[in-house]
Amino acid sequence: MATVIKTKVRLHIPEIFPIRDDMADKWANGLVNNATLMYQRLRDKIPDAGLFDQKLATPANLRYGPYVPDAYVSRSERDAAGIRNAHYKNLMTGYDHWDEKLALAFETVDGVEAKRFKDQVNNSKDSWSSRMAGKTLRFTGDKIRGRGVSVIAAFWLTDDPLAGSMVREGQDEILVGGPYNTALTGMRTAFRAALVQKITQAGVLIVNSDFNADMILAQNTAMATLLTGLADPAKADTFQATPAPDKSYCSFVKVADGPFYLEIQVVLTV
């Protein structure tokens, strides 16, 4: 038996992907124009303390619980059960504070509905732009100026007709072959959707960790697990977390003081 490399491509990730001038305005306008509707829906969903407990306090406490180990004892000698109970009681008594803050944010001021909320949104455009440019857009790109690695990878691994045209000249490197379909029959659309979301999420987590090696390995492992579950074993060998000459992988790589990229290789044993 022999292993055949079906495709190999290296997709580079820019340091920043500046947003277009209209993107922040579009984001803000979407929130501002729907402020009254958003407030009404919040009130409909959580109209009283009972539903606040059911939909917010109790779920939040259940998610918090595992972060306090059973054997833990604080410096003030509170055990895990006491800490969890205190956390829950604080959440339970938080409805009035939450209700007041919500009403204040969406209050009509100077004849403008939800003025404080709208002002906060408009004042946040610069910070939103900075976060998008330095994180999400680095991986997704956009329709106007070109797609990013998460979209290119998903289209590449389903042999979409648009995949070749998405590759960015001077940035990406096609090392072996071309676009190659690894998806199960009838699953291309679902494959693309899942992979775009996972690569984008993994990339942002890696950036947030300042390229911590353990985080890179954890995210590469998660992507390998996802791809192995989605790929047709008749088209690709099991995906691995780290690059290897004779293995299938879809892995982030950060070179010390150098580039950050996503490298994909699909191997099939025949």
Side-chain angles (χ1 to χ4, degrees):
M1 300 178 74
T3 57
V4 178
I5 298 177
K6 293 293 187 178
T7 187
K8 184 175 183 179
V9 63
R10 185 174 295 161
L11 306 173
H12 285 263
I13 300 158
E15 288 286 334
I16 193 169
F17 192 95
I19 72 165
R20 300 191 314 272
D21 292 340
D22 64 330
M23 290 179 72
D25 289 335
K26 184 177 180 181
W27 167 78
N29 289 340
L31 292 172
V32 167
N33 294 337
N34 289 287
T36 302
L37 178 62
M38 290 168 58
Y39 180 57
Q40 186 57 55
R41 286 179 173 174
L42 274 170
R43 287 300 189 192
D44 291 343
K45 189 170 184 177
I46 305 176
D48 53 46
L51 282 173
F52 178 85
D53 175 31
Q54 178 185 329
K55 294 187 176 183
L56 287 181
T58 296
N61 190 60
L62 289 172
R63 293 188 183 98
Y64 172 78
Y67 289 97
V68 185
D70 290 338
Y72 178 76
V73 178
S74 74
R75 293 179 64 183
S76 60
E77 299 186 345
R78 286 198 301 173
D79 61 13
I83 293 170
R84 292 172 188 145
N85 289 338
H87 180 261
Y88 181 57
K89 287 297 182 182
N90 288 336
L91 289 170
M92 279 286 291
T93 57
Y95 173 74
D96 288 341
H97 181 70
W98 176 84
D99 182 62
E100 290 169 5
K101 289 290 186 181
L102 192 64
L104 183 66
F106 288 90
E107 183 182 14
T108 297
V109 178
D110 298 330
V112 179
E113 290 183 321
K115 186 177 188 301
R116 294 186 185 90
F117 172 78
K118 293 175 180 178
D119 287 345
Q120 183 62 46
V121 169
N122 285 318
N123 291 335
S124 300
K125 287 195 289 187
D126 286 346
S127 60
W128 179 86
S129 298
S130 177
R131 289 195 304 272
M132 288 295 290
K135 295 181 181 180
T136 305
L137 285 176
R138 292 176 68 180
F139 302 95
T140 63
D142 65 35
K143 293 180 181 179
I144 306 300
R145 293 168 296 168
R147 298 296 198 175
V149 295
S150 55
V151 180
I152 298 171
F155 277 63
W156 191 271
L157 288 175
T158 52
D159 193 18
D160 189 277
L162 296 176
S165 65
M166 290 181 177
V167 172
R168 301 155 298 178
E169 186 175 355
Q171 295 184 59
D172 302 321
E173 304 167 72
I174 301 173
L175 303 173
V176 177
Y180 177 74
N181 180 29
T182 60
L184 293 161
T185 302
M187 294 297 291
R188 287 190 184 190
T189 300
F191 182 106
R192 283 198 294 266
L195 192 56
V196 168
Q197 192 275 335
K198 188 58 192 173
I199 291 175
T200 303
Q201 179 193 59
V204 170
L205 287 170
I206 290 169
V207 169
N208 286 343
S209 75
D210 291 326
F211 306 104
N212 176 271
D214 289 338
M215 178 60 76
I216 292 174
L217 178 59
Q219 296 309 313
N220 285 345
T221 300
M223 289 197 297
T225 300
L226 175 68
L227 281 165
T228 296
L230 293 174
D232 187 338
K235 299 174 183 175
D237 289 355
T238 299
F239 280 80
Q240 307 295 314
T242 54
D246 59 345
K247 302 295 183 182
S248 293
Y249 58 85
C250 175
S251 301
F252 283 106
V253 176
K254 178 64 173 78
V255 178
D257 300 318
F260 179 38
Y261 58 85
L262 181 74
E263 187 168 285
I264 301 169
Q265 176 173 282
V266 178
V267 165
L268 182 64
T269 300
V270 294

